[in-house]
Amino acid sequence: MEDKLIIRGIEFNSRLWIGTGKYRDFEETAKAVEASGADVVTVAVRRVNITDRRSENLLDYIDPKKYKILPNTAGCYTVEDALRYARLAREADVSEMVKLEVIGDERTLFPDVTGLLKATEILAKEGFIVFPYTNDDPVMAKRLEDAGAAAVMPLGAPIGSGLGIRNPFNIKIILESAKVPVIVDAGVGTASDANIAMELGCDAVLINTAIAGAKDPITMAEAMKHAVIAGRLACRAGRIPRKLYATASSPIEGML
């Protein structure tokens, strides 16, 4: 059966999206992206050169004709900064899409959800396709959707923590109420975490540190690819109910 992820008319070939920070160099980044099978690559506009093609540029290694480049506003602590870098990426013809981050706390890197909501409203009105990074709060997720977000991106755990999905119940509530795609962003540590996110019913997973920080990033990227595919298939197949007691695999009813 067809199971395409389509957001605002854009068709995505993979439900694994990956970031480009923390790799040893651009070459390793490119190899990990290739191994992951992802077609969405996020890039921090504030930290990585993607707007000046006269100097070494990530886009010399990640072909914009092959991959969908998703600029992000990582490192922005104010609405004004987030708006500035989103607009800069669009003016440079990188993308109409933006992964929107407005960070509220330097130690935890939790979002400033008040600022995030404001920035989402502004950018959506300006025609951006906005993917806001938010807490795993069902109320805020709904407000972001109402503000014009093309999808909501709740964290599984703090950025770079590798703790996995800490509150699957909140994610499940977000999934039940959202009318836009839900993409888990932040906190994934290994392939089983990505698998859990997809089994819960999430539409995609965005991963950076778990791949870039692995002992072998290329192999981990491939592992994440298979985990996301398996999790999506399992979600669509429907798991068996959990039971307290055993149920025989070969029933004896009717046997002589």
Side-chain angles (χ1 to χ4, degrees):
M1 292 177 63
E2 284 289 316
D3 184 35
K4 295 287 187 180
L5 174 58
I6 301 174
I7 303 175
R8 297 287 173 85
I10 302 171
E11 186 173 300
F12 299 90
N13 297 320
S14 172
R15 292 174 184 270
L16 171 60
W17 299 9
I18 70 172
T20 53
K22 303 181 180 179
Y23 290 93
R24 283 190 289 268
D25 51 41
F26 286 157
E27 289 185 0
E28 184 179 70
T29 307
K31 289 178 181 178
V33 171
E34 181 71 25
S36 74
D39 64 336
V40 174
V41 179
T42 71
V43 181
V45 182
R46 185 166 188 161
R47 296 171 178 159
V48 178
N49 173 32
I50 58 171
T51 57
D52 182 4
R53 300 308 302 271
R54 296 169 297 180
S55 57
E56 187 178 36
N57 192 302
L58 177 64
L59 300 187
D60 295 330
Y61 297 82
I62 306 295
D63 186 355
K65 294 179 181 179
K66 181 177 181 180
Y67 299 101
K68 297 176 179 67
I69 307 301
L70 177 60
N72 72 58
T73 61
C76 292
Y77 286 79
T78 66
V79 172
E80 292 73 23
D81 267 0
L83 296 177
R84 180 183 304 114
Y85 285 101
R87 291 164 178 161
L88 179 64
R90 183 163 73 173
E91 288 167 7
D93 292 324
V94 176
S95 182
E96 295 283 331
M97 301 187 295
V98 60
K99 180 198 164 190
L100 182 61
E101 297 185 30
V102 182
I103 302 301
D105 179 71
E106 187 174 358
R107 185 171 62 89
T108 65
L109 299 181
F110 283 144
D112 171 0
V113 292
T114 302
L116 181 68
L117 183 60
K118 181 179 179 181
T120 298
E121 291 173 336
I122 293 170
L123 291 176
K125 287 178 181 177
E126 293 181 5
F128 282 86
I129 300 171
V130 186
F131 301 96
Y133 160 71
T134 185
N135 290 326
D136 55 351
D137 177 354
V139 175
M140 182 51 63
K142 190 62 181 174
R143 288 182 178 174
L144 290 165
E145 178 184 326
D146 293 341
V152 292
M153 305 183 77
L155 55 81
I159 292 174
S161 67
L163 290 171
I165 311 299
R166 292 295 83 201
N167 197 335
F169 306 105
N170 275 21
I171 299 294
K172 199 70 176 174
I173 294 170
I174 291 172
L175 286 163
E176 289 175 357
S177 58
K179 293 183 175 61
V180 295
V182 176
I183 303 168
V184 161
D185 176 21
V188 167
T190 190
S192 58
D193 299 328
N195 183 272
I196 288 170
M198 297 305 296
E199 285 189 359
L200 285 170
C202 293
D203 296 277
V205 180
L206 197 160
I207 303 171
N208 187 176
T209 305
I211 297 175
K215 292 180 180 179
D216 182 345
I218 314 306
T219 301
M220 183 61 81
E222 185 176 1
M224 293 296 187
K225 175 179 72 174
H226 294 302
V228 167
I229 292 171
R232 181 66 182 177
L233 288 173
C235 176
R236 296 183 69 205
R239 66 159 292 135
I240 63 171
R242 291 180 171 88
K243 297 180 181 179
L244 183 60
Y245 298 103
T247 302
S249 299
S250 300
I252 61 173
E253 288 84 355
M255 296 179 63
L256 297 176

